[in-house]
Amino acid sequence: MNVDDLVFSSGQFLNLIESQGVTGTWGWRFADNQHVWSPGLFHVVGLDAQSTRPSYDRLVGLIHPEDRERVQTSFDLIHGVTLGQQTLRVLRPDNTIRVVSARTEIYLGADGRPRGAAGVVLDVTDQERLREARITEQQRRRALFRQTRTLTFSNDPDYAFSMPQEASELTGLPLQDISADAFLSVVREEREHWRGLSIEGQRSGLVHVTKPVLYLAGDDRGRFEVFTVPIRDAAGVVVDWSSLTRPIGSHTPLADDRLREGLEQAIDGRHLRAARALLDWSMTDLAQAAGLSLSTVKRMEENVDRIASQSRHRAMETLRRFGIRFSLMDGGVIGVSAT
């Protein structure tokens, strides 16, 4: 950027970047107090370019009051002080809050004195929400493990495992070892038996349940049940396997999102018809309650391929809301009951 005329080096390239609606730039020339904001910045902060006069103070005024003290002031910039990259909350005029990553640069003249400043703002609201959701999910899983010794893990079709730290705490085995081969947690005399049944279950592409005895930390042993469901892509190809391990006799619900997704994919027309029978519903009743078309419900009950996952999820959530419970039982059978 040329601080003398505040012209961006490539307007077309800038427009291409900002067309995604998540980034914007600004500039300020100190000598004549000239400010420019890019179209993307107006979009990010929720202001109208035609009625808003850009200024650095106006930009700072949009920062959430609790974050504002962490932002460099006009005085700071004029004297060459910046605070590096920061994550801040922007309070838009419509009272919505966006989370942005902001970075400011100072431009110096030949004499080494600050002549201007420019900055880039990137909307990271979705990433922050996802990060917070992951933290919440990790905390939930941690609490569930501490209370019930229940944990979840996954593996791809090539048996590359993704194991949580809780697996090491449960078994007392190094995480690196059981991530390389989860069956090392099964007692030696049963290991190959359950390995074979697991491989057979995954080759079938069906939901399955195993009940191995596991090594436990402190030189102990215990029998657990492992519920495993396939995760399929839009074409119906198995791309991952999600598993939940819990002590035999535990009634911990299969509440993990990936497990629920796989379980929903395994539910077919028989389960839907059974659920409707328990509720004394017609297909029309289910369609109306779930906000789906009657043809979509018919297709689901006829097991037609390529039913949109969103429609399937909506139907399952509706049935659960009205008291239907889908459960994994011995032999990988999916049970349907009403609460």
Side-chain angles (χ1 to χ4, degrees), residues 72-291:
Q72 54 267 344
T73 65
S74 298
F75 181 86
D76 292 331
L77 294 186
I78 291 173
H79 290 81
V81 177
T82 61
L83 302 179
Q85 188 163 329
Q86 298 173 291
T87 299
L88 306 162
R89 287 169 294 173
V90 169
L91 182 59
R92 288 169 149 183
D94 61 2
N95 289 324
T96 60
I97 294 177
R98 306 299 294 179
V99 181
V100 302
S101 176
R103 183 176 181 85
T104 301
E105 296 287 344
I106 300 294
Y107 292 88
L108 306 177
D111 57 1
R113 299 175 60 183
R115 299 184 61 193
V120 177
V121 172
L122 177 65
D123 189 329
V124 295
T125 306
D126 292 342
Q127 295 93 314
E128 282 296 303
R129 288 174 179 169
L130 179 60
R131 184 184 68 84
E132 292 173 0
R134 285 174 175 169
I135 291 174
T136 300
E137 177 63 14
Q138 289 173 354
Q139 292 172 340
R140 185 194 67 79
R141 291 184 181 184
R142 187 69 180 166
L144 184 64
F145 174 73
R146 288 174 175 172
Q147 294 172 7
T148 66
R149 295 196 299 176
T150 297
L151 59 88
T152 58
F153 64 93
S154 64
N155 66 273
D156 66 18
D158 295 323
Y159 264 82
F161 290 93
S162 177
M163 305 294 292
Q165 181 61 40
E166 288 81 9
S168 178
E169 296 179 24
L170 176 69
T171 63
L173 300 172
L175 183 61
Q176 180 178 355
D177 291 351
I178 52 179
S179 293
D181 182 3
F183 293 98
L184 292 178
S185 62
V186 180
V187 295
R188 186 180 299 275
E189 57 268 30
E190 295 187 6
R191 186 175 301 158
E192 295 312 312
H193 168 72
W194 293 115
R195 188 195 300 274
L197 287 183
S198 179
I199 292 174
E200 180 181 343
Q202 296 200 15
R203 282 177 178 169
S204 73
L206 301 176
V207 174
H208 54 280
V209 181
T210 56
K211 297 183 178 181
V213 173
L214 303 182
Y215 290 118
L216 301 178
D219 295 326
D220 199 1
R221 295 182 174 197
R223 190 168 296 279
F224 283 65
E225 51 189 353
V226 184
F227 299 87
T228 302
V229 299
I231 308 297
R232 302 178 185 274
D233 62 15
V237 177
V238 176
V239 294
D240 203 10
W241 292 87
S242 184
S243 300
L244 179 142
T245 299
R246 68 186 185 187
I248 287 286
S250 170
H251 297 290
T252 305
L254 305 182
D256 180 82
D257 288 343
R258 294 285 282 173
L259 277 163
R260 179 170 293 181
E261 177 186 354
L263 184 59
E264 287 181 0
Q265 292 176 344
I267 289 172
D268 59 26
R270 298 169 299 168
H271 305 108
L272 293 177
R273 289 191 291 273
R276 286 198 297 104
L278 289 172
L279 294 175
D280 195 24
W281 278 8
S282 66
M283 283 193 288
T284 300
D285 293 329
L286 175 56
Q288 291 178 344

